[in-house]
Amino acid sequence: MQKFIVTGGKRLRGELRLQGSKNSSLPIIAAAMLCSDECVLKNCPRITDVYAASRILNCTGCKCSFSGNTAVTDSRCMNNNEIPENLMSEMRSSIIFMGAMLGRCGECNVSIPGGCELGPRPIDMHLAALRKMGADIREEMGRIRCRATGKRLHGARISLAFPSVGATENIILSAAAADGETIINNAAREPEICDLCGFLRKCGADISGDGESRIVVNGREKLHGCEYTVMPDRIAGATYLSMAAASGGEIILTNACVSEMEPFLSVLEQTGCSISADENTIYLRNGSRLKAVGDRIRTMPHPGFPTDAQAVLMSALLKAEGTSVFEENIFDCRYRHTDAFMKMGADIQVMGKIAVIKGVKRIYGTSADATDLRGGAAMISAALSAEGTSEIGSIYHIDRGYENIEKAVRLLGGDMQRVGM
Ligand code: UD1
């Protein structure tokens, strides 16, 4: 099993090019299934979740291959609409292939993606919406069999009880190839939704309103391939900025999506670091001890503070002057990284959805397993600002979303190695 060995105490300094977005690449790879020919997807991160998405595409007879950060997909030979359980369980987002397959061939057979490390993640909204669009859905022994009752799904007016990112994506994917108009009310407004819609529009889809809470999709019988560049990863960006801030460093983040990162940057700025930005570059400098964030940090759907950045920002606040308070409103079980932080000497109290962080002067290296993707990245960040050496295990969680994270940290002057087989 591989581990990361991280020795803290170095100020991170330097320039880093931000990787492409995981949460955009996954639905866009699924969307490529809707196209009748080749798609060239640039700026795809080389991470295990993206490879899992490509394996799903390949198992349906579509092709997906990589050359560096470019993925080339070809969906002409699709011949299978059944995804085996082992592929479905590799990542929770495999569920978005359901909408794409229903859109492409009016039929699919997938398995329930299963529980995950952030607590229960139901898919009731996905299923209710697809049923409203004419899908007959049967759940038997962990499998979900879906079939359009007509030849294709039909458009529908859908109001989501919560702006779920995955449900919004599944509806968009199936609606893009459905018969007629679909209206999604209370749609998720995450930038990755806009990226998916941007890709689909380039393939000939008729979609408007993405980025707002009412999205309108007019189904098309056929979509064509295109060349598309995936947006930068705002959460990886938040991670490297938090690491640099925690270490008292200085970083230039290029290829960044500055406006999409505003909800994070405006909170990080309250810690007293100096942040400036132009169109796609962020400069961060922090020469002194960070200050606690005065306002409660509430995770919310976009444009609120992103839940995916909660753990990494917390890692920067462990040694801040004063007390910071987080309120996690999206997932039930998203403070599991706090055990490792406390083992490092952090002063944290968790009560349900609230976590209170009282800044301490020092934290110390420890051994701990990554609990989940962002929690694992946050442990690396904490380890970089701790005294001594940390050993972080279960790093397969981290590899799901970060492209060569140890190389990025070392480029910034951090001391981090990957060891083991
Ligand atoms: C996506 C992101 C994930 C991010 C999350 C919230 C991807 C690949 N993943 O996950 O990184 O943390 O958005 O920004 O893009 N829910 C239901 N029923 C449903 C669907 C969701 O109750 O049918 C609940 C979930 O349990 C959760 C909340 O809604 O509590 C938000 O989930 P959702 O927005 O769907 O997150 P994901 O799409 O899974």
PDB file of all heavy atoms in Angstrom, residues 249-263:
ATOM      1  N   GLY A 249       3.461  30.872   3.127  1.00  0.00           N
ATOM      2  CA  GLY A 249       4.183  30.946   1.864  1.00  0.00           C
ATOM      3  C   GLY A 249       3.652  31.957   0.869  1.00  0.00           C
ATOM      4  O   GLY A 249       2.900  32.876   1.213  1.00  0.00           O
ATOM      5  N   GLU A 250       4.018  31.719  -0.382  1.00  0.00           N
ATOM      6  CA  GLU A 250       3.712  32.660  -1.459  1.00  0.00           C
ATOM      7  C   GLU A 250       3.519  31.827  -2.725  1.00  0.00           C
ATOM      8  O   GLU A 250       4.401  31.047  -3.082  1.00  0.00           O
ATOM      9  CB  GLU A 250       4.929  33.574  -1.619  1.00  0.00           C
ATOM     10  CG  GLU A 250       4.688  34.765  -2.448  1.00  0.00           C
ATOM     11  CD  GLU A 250       5.865  35.752  -2.322  1.00  0.00           C
ATOM     12  OE1 GLU A 250       6.773  35.531  -1.501  1.00  0.00           O
ATOM     13  OE2 GLU A 250       5.842  36.715  -3.084  1.00  0.00           O
ATOM     14  N   ILE A 251       2.404  31.975  -3.375  1.00  0.00           N
ATOM     15  CA  ILE A 251       2.137  31.092  -4.510  1.00  0.00           C
ATOM     16  C   ILE A 251       1.491  31.869  -5.653  1.00  0.00           C
ATOM     17  O   ILE A 251       0.704  32.804  -5.424  1.00  0.00           O
ATOM     18  CB  ILE A 251       1.253  29.897  -4.051  1.00  0.00           C
ATOM     19  CG1 ILE A 251       0.949  28.916  -5.182  1.00  0.00           C
ATOM     20  CG2 ILE A 251      -0.014  30.319  -3.432  1.00  0.00           C
ATOM     21  CD1 ILE A 251       0.161  27.685  -4.740  1.00  0.00           C
ATOM     22  N   ILE A 252       1.857  31.488  -6.854  1.00  0.00           N
ATOM     23  CA  ILE A 252       1.195  32.018  -8.057  1.00  0.00           C
ATOM     24  C   ILE A 252       0.496  30.832  -8.699  1.00  0.00           C
ATOM     25  O   ILE A 252       1.160  29.871  -9.108  1.00  0.00           O
ATOM     26  CB  ILE A 252       2.213  32.626  -9.048  1.00  0.00           C
ATOM     27  CG1 ILE A 252       3.012  33.742  -8.366  1.00  0.00           C
ATOM     28  CG2 ILE A 252       1.516  33.147 -10.299  1.00  0.00           C
ATOM     29  CD1 ILE A 252       4.190  34.243  -9.198  1.00  0.00           C
ATOM     30  N   LEU A 253      -0.806  30.895  -8.752  1.00  0.00           N
ATOM     31  CA  LEU A 253      -1.587  29.780  -9.308  1.00  0.00           C
ATOM     32  C   LEU A 253      -2.053  30.199 -10.696  1.00  0.00           C
ATOM     33  O   LEU A 253      -2.847  31.139 -10.828  1.00  0.00           O
ATOM     34  CB  LEU A 253      -2.780  29.542  -8.380  1.00  0.00           C
ATOM     35  CG  LEU A 253      -3.499  28.214  -8.455  1.00  0.00           C
ATOM     36  CD1 LEU A 253      -2.563  27.056  -8.140  1.00  0.00           C
ATOM     37  CD2 LEU A 253      -4.663  28.212  -7.465  1.00  0.00           C
ATOM     38  N   THR A 254      -1.538  29.522 -11.718  1.00  0.00           N
ATOM     39  CA  THR A 254      -1.937  29.892 -13.080  1.00  0.00           C
ATOM     40  C   THR A 254      -3.012  28.932 -13.586  1.00  0.00           C
ATOM     41  O   THR A 254      -3.275  27.904 -12.962  1.00  0.00           O
ATOM     42  CB  THR A 254      -0.726  29.872 -14.039  1.00  0.00           C
ATOM     43  OG1 THR A 254      -0.203  28.554 -14.070  1.00  0.00           O
ATOM     44  CG2 THR A 254       0.358  30.839 -13.592  1.00  0.00           C
ATOM     45  N   ASN A 255      -3.610  29.256 -14.715  1.00  0.00           N
ATOM     46  CA  ASN A 255      -4.720  28.486 -15.294  1.00  0.00           C
ATOM     47  C   ASN A 255      -5.848  28.323 -14.270  1.00  0.00           C
ATOM     48  O   ASN A 255      -6.500  27.283 -14.194  1.00  0.00           O
ATOM     49  CB  ASN A 255      -4.247  27.102 -15.764  1.00  0.00           C
ATOM     50  CG  ASN A 255      -5.342  26.345 -16.513  1.00  0.00           C
ATOM     51  OD1 ASN A 255      -6.070  26.924 -17.315  1.00  0.00           O
ATOM     52  ND2 ASN A 255      -5.493  25.066 -16.221  1.00  0.00           N
ATOM     53  N   ALA A 256      -6.080  29.361 -13.470  1.00  0.00           N
ATOM     54  CA  ALA A 256      -7.111  29.256 -12.423  1.00  0.00           C
ATOM     55  C   ALA A 256      -8.421  29.865 -12.923  1.00  0.00           C
ATOM     56  O   ALA A 256      -8.430  30.704 -13.826  1.00  0.00           O
ATOM     57  CB  ALA A 256      -6.644  29.978 -11.174  1.00  0.00           C
ATOM     58  N   CYS A 257      -9.529  29.422 -12.333  1.00  0.00           N
ATOM     59  CA  CYS A 257     -10.834  29.977 -12.686  1.00  0.00           C
ATOM     60  C   CYS A 257     -11.188  30.951 -11.569  1.00  0.00           C
ATOM     61  O   CYS A 257     -11.809  30.579 -10.570  1.00  0.00           O
ATOM     62  CB  CYS A 257     -11.874  28.870 -12.801  1.00  0.00           C
ATOM     63  SG  CYS A 257     -11.701  27.605 -11.531  1.00  0.00           S
ATOM     64  N   VAL A 258     -10.740  32.201 -11.732  1.00  0.00           N
ATOM     65  CA  VAL A 258     -10.772  33.149 -10.623  1.00  0.00           C
ATOM     66  C   VAL A 258     -12.207  33.460 -10.199  1.00  0.00           C
ATOM     67  O   VAL A 258     -12.544  33.375  -9.004  1.00  0.00           O
ATOM     68  CB  VAL A 258     -10.022  34.444 -11.010  1.00  0.00           C
ATOM     69  CG1 VAL A 258     -10.097  35.455  -9.880  1.00  0.00           C
ATOM     70  CG2 VAL A 258      -8.573  34.128 -11.346  1.00  0.00           C
ATOM     71  N   SER A 259     -13.078  33.785 -11.143  1.00  0.00           N
ATOM     72  CA  SER A 259     -14.419  34.194 -10.695  1.00  0.00           C
ATOM     73  C   SER A 259     -15.169  33.031 -10.065  1.00  0.00           C
ATOM     74  O   SER A 259     -15.906  33.210  -9.092  1.00  0.00           O
ATOM     75  CB  SER A 259     -15.208  34.854 -11.820  1.00  0.00           C
ATOM     76  OG  SER A 259     -15.239  33.993 -12.911  1.00  0.00           O
ATOM     77  N   GLU A 260     -14.949  31.806 -10.572  1.00  0.00           N
ATOM     78  CA  GLU A 260     -15.627  30.637  -9.984  1.00  0.00           C
ATOM     79  C   GLU A 260     -15.092  30.338  -8.584  1.00  0.00           C
ATOM     80  O   GLU A 260     -15.743  29.659  -7.796  1.00  0.00           O
ATOM     81  CB  GLU A 260     -15.435  29.402 -10.871  1.00  0.00           C
ATOM     82  CG  GLU A 260     -16.192  29.426 -12.188  1.00  0.00           C
ATOM     83  CD  GLU A 260     -15.528  30.255 -13.274  1.00  0.00           C
ATOM     84  OE1 GLU A 260     -14.452  30.846 -13.009  1.00  0.00           O
ATOM     85  OE2 GLU A 260     -16.079  30.333 -14.383  1.00  0.00           O
ATOM     86  N   MET A 261     -13.904  30.846  -8.281  1.00  0.00           N
ATOM     87  CA  MET A 261     -13.320  30.581  -6.958  1.00  0.00           C
ATOM     88  C   MET A 261     -13.625  31.683  -5.945  1.00  0.00           C
ATOM     89  O   MET A 261     -13.213  31.598  -4.787  1.00  0.00           O
ATOM     90  CB  MET A 261     -11.803  30.383  -7.091  1.00  0.00           C
ATOM     91  CG  MET A 261     -11.464  29.051  -7.741  1.00  0.00           C
ATOM     92  SD  MET A 261      -9.702  28.734  -7.809  1.00  0.00           S
ATOM     93  CE  MET A 261      -9.286  28.615  -6.086  1.00  0.00           C
ATOM     94  N   GLU A 262     -14.343  32.745  -6.371  1.00  0.00           N
ATOM     95  CA  GLU A 262     -14.630  33.872  -5.478  1.00  0.00           C
ATOM     96  C   GLU A 262     -15.213  33.465  -4.122  1.00  0.00           C
ATOM     97  O   GLU A 262     -14.793  33.971  -3.087  1.00  0.00           O
ATOM     98  CB  GLU A 262     -15.570  34.883  -6.155  1.00  0.00           C
ATOM     99  CG  GLU A 262     -14.890  35.880  -7.074  1.00  0.00           C
ATOM    100  CD  GLU A 262     -13.761  36.659  -6.430  1.00  0.00           C
ATOM    101  OE1 GLU A 262     -13.806  36.893  -5.205  1.00  0.00           O
ATOM    102  OE2 GLU A 262     -12.812  37.017  -7.149  1.00  0.00           O
ATOM    103  N   PRO A 263     -16.225  32.541  -4.099  1.00  0.00           N
ATOM    104  CA  PRO A 263     -16.798  32.186  -2.785  1.00  0.00           C
ATOM    105  C   PRO A 263     -15.746  31.642  -1.818  1.00  0.00           C
ATOM    106  O   PRO A 263     -15.844  31.855  -0.614  1.00  0.00           O
ATOM    107  CB  PRO A 263     -17.828  31.096  -3.131  1.00  0.00           C
ATOM    108  CG  PRO A 263     -18.172  31.337  -4.572  1.00  0.00           C
ATOM    109  CD  PRO A 263     -16.913  31.852  -5.204  1.00  0.00           C
TER     110      PRO A 263
END
